[in-house]
Structure formats: structure tokens, C-alpha cells
Amino acid sequence: MAGSPGRNWSPNSSTSYTTCSTSIQRLHGLRPRFVIVHAGDRLLQELSPALGRYAQRKLDGRGVEFRLGARVSKATAEDVTLDSGETLSTRTLAWTAGNRPHPLARQVMTPSLTVEPTLQVPGIPGVWALGDCARIPDPAGGTYPPTAQHAIREGRTAARNIAAVLTGRRPAPFRYGGLGVLVSLGHRTAAGEVGGRRVSGFLAWILWRSVYLSKLPGAEKRLRVLADWTLDLVFPRDIALSTKDERHA
């Protein structure tokens, strides 16, 4: 069972589910059950509703169950209870909740953690906030998503604005359109928005892997990962079965 009440998404959970499901059925005659619990009314809320429906349709076709608009209220070694009162029997819980701001941020900021477009904390001169601990308004009337590509550029804007204030100049508002969002759905499929255009399926998966590969540090790591991905296109994943005697040998 996988719980996902936050904004994060496990990109290869569907592939792992299908691979493990096939192997467990072949070795033990059992069929595992995989349930995604999400607090939102749809998946992938960072993307358009159409892409959220596409992702859910793909995962549903692989046997994944969904509990949308629900949260985990209790978890034990035997089961998980949702806030709706439903109980799911499981011995495996994967938690992928989002990050929570540092407690210090809540001591100096309002509960909404909303800052000025210049990243200054309202009413507290000399205090700036960015990243996961701040809700930064965008020109469209919403807020910027708490992603790495935004946080990196927020840091640069904050540094320039602090230097501007110290030298008597006016700070500039943060503006960034974003490079796009890509999410792997496993089984060589993905979904995302790049340059304002929606992409899905195999093409989106190729884009996702290309971006992932480009972010790896060093040519050696890129070549190793690329070789592993290439072999994965031809050969199935290795699954080893250890018996009780083998583990204690």
C-alpha cells in the first residue's frame, strides 16, 4: 500500500508493483494489492486535470486502486485506517508526504506563510523566505510550486534583493515561468507539461529520462545509468528469492 497525502509522487511505483505482482504470483500463488491514498481530488495536481485523469487511467489499468480525497489517520503493523473510517489490511505502508516548513518559520510568519513577491516577510523587516517555507504569489494570482527549479531561482532573487536593500535600491519581484513538469508513470509512459504544451505516453517518458540523465553529475555516472536503462529495455528485472535456510547460512 502506498499513501500519498502530499504533493510528491513515486515515479516508478507502478513498474515495481507490476514486476513484484507477477513474481509473487509465480513464486507463491498470491496477488498483492496496491492502494494509493491521496488527499486531493485527483492525481498530479501540479499538472492539468486531463493529465491527472490520464495518469489515473494508466495506473488503474495495471490494477492499482485509489482512495482520493482521503487521509491516513492511523497505521499499525496489521492495517491502515483512513479518515473516512475505512480500514485496509496491509503490512506494508509507503509514505510519500510533502515537506513541512521548519518550526522556526511558524514562529515568525503567519500560518499561511505568504510572503511578498520580493520574498520579504510582511511586517518583519530584514526577514526573507523562499522554498518550502514560503508561499510566493505569482502574476496569475496563485502561488509558485515548491519545486527545485523554482527554489534555485528564488535563492538567486533573494540574494540580489538583499544586496539591493543594503545599498538603498528597490528589491525586484520574483518572476519565473518554469521549465515544465514531467512525471514518470512506469512501463515506459509519463505525463507532463513542457513549454505550456501537454505531453504524455512514450514521448513524455523519453523526455523525462533525458532530463534525468542530464542532471546526473559526471560523464561516468551518465554512462552507467544509460547502460542500465538500455539493458532494461531488453531484459527483465532480476528478482532473487531467499529461503530461510539461505538467510541463516
Side-chain angles (χ1 to χ4, degrees):
M1 171 174 175
S4 180
R7 299 172 65 91
N8 295 343
W9 177 261
S10 177
N12 291 313
S13 60
S14 176
T15 299
S16 301
Y17 163 74
T18 306
T19 303
C20 293
S21 177
T22 302
S23 301
I24 291 174
Q25 289 184 68
R26 177 166 51 86
L27 296 173
H28 302 289
L30 302 173
R31 180 177 178 82
R33 182 187 183 193
F34 190 35
V35 182
I36 293 180
V37 179
H38 186 57
D41 57 354
R42 63 179 178 87
L43 300 180
L44 304 180
Q45 296 188 3
E46 294 83 357
L47 301 177
S48 66
L51 289 176
R53 291 191 296 269
Y54 170 83
Q56 184 170 344
R57 186 169 64 253
K58 285 292 183 181
L59 298 178
D60 181 71
R62 299 168 193 165
V64 179
E65 300 178 35
F66 300 91
R67 300 293 186 273
L68 301 179
R71 295 177 181 271
V72 174
S73 60
K74 179 182 178 182
T76 68
E78 302 292 337
D79 55 44
V80 169
T81 302
L82 307 183
D83 55 3
S84 62
E86 180 182 4
T87 299
L88 303 172
S89 298
T90 182
R91 294 176 180 268
T92 304
L93 171 64
W95 191 270
T96 59
N99 296 326
R100 175 179 296 179
H102 192 279
L104 178 62
R106 296 188 177 276
Q107 295 180 20
V108 299
M109 301 174 68
T110 61
S112 63
L113 306 180
T114 301
V115 299
E116 300 289 347
T118 56
L119 308 182
Q120 294 170 291
V121 177
I124 310 180
V127 178
W128 310 71
L130 55 93
D132 291 334
C133 70
R135 292 173 56 87
I136 304 171
D138 63 20
T143 57
Y144 288 102
T147 61
Q149 60 176 297
H150 287 82
I152 291 173
R153 290 158 179 84
E154 290 163 11
R156 295 170 183 167
T157 299
R160 288 194 294 265
N161 283 346
I162 291 173
V165 170
L166 292 176
T167 56
R169 294 180 288 116
R170 178 176 298 180
F174 175 75
R175 293 288 185 267
Y176 179 59
L179 299 174
V181 179
L182 289 168
V183 180
S184 172
L185 302 173
H187 289 260
R188 303 184 182 94
T189 59
E193 294 177 350
V194 180
R197 296 185 177 182
R198 294 182 295 187
V199 291
S200 60
F202 184 73
L203 174 60
W205 180 77
I206 292 293
L207 288 173
W208 177 81
R209 289 221 156 176
S210 300
V211 172
Y212 186 97
L213 198 65
S214 68
K215 298 296 183 180
L216 293 177
E220 179 185 355
K221 289 185 176 62
R222 295 192 187 101
L223 288 175
R224 287 180 179 274
V225 172
L226 181 61
D228 182 66
W229 285 351
T230 303
L231 291 174
D232 186 59
L233 293 173
V234 182
F235 301 103
R237 296 190 178 188
D238 291 332
I239 297 212
L241 174 64
S242 299
T243 65
K244 182 176 181 180
D245 292 338
E246 290 174 340
R247 288 197 301 268
H248 294 279

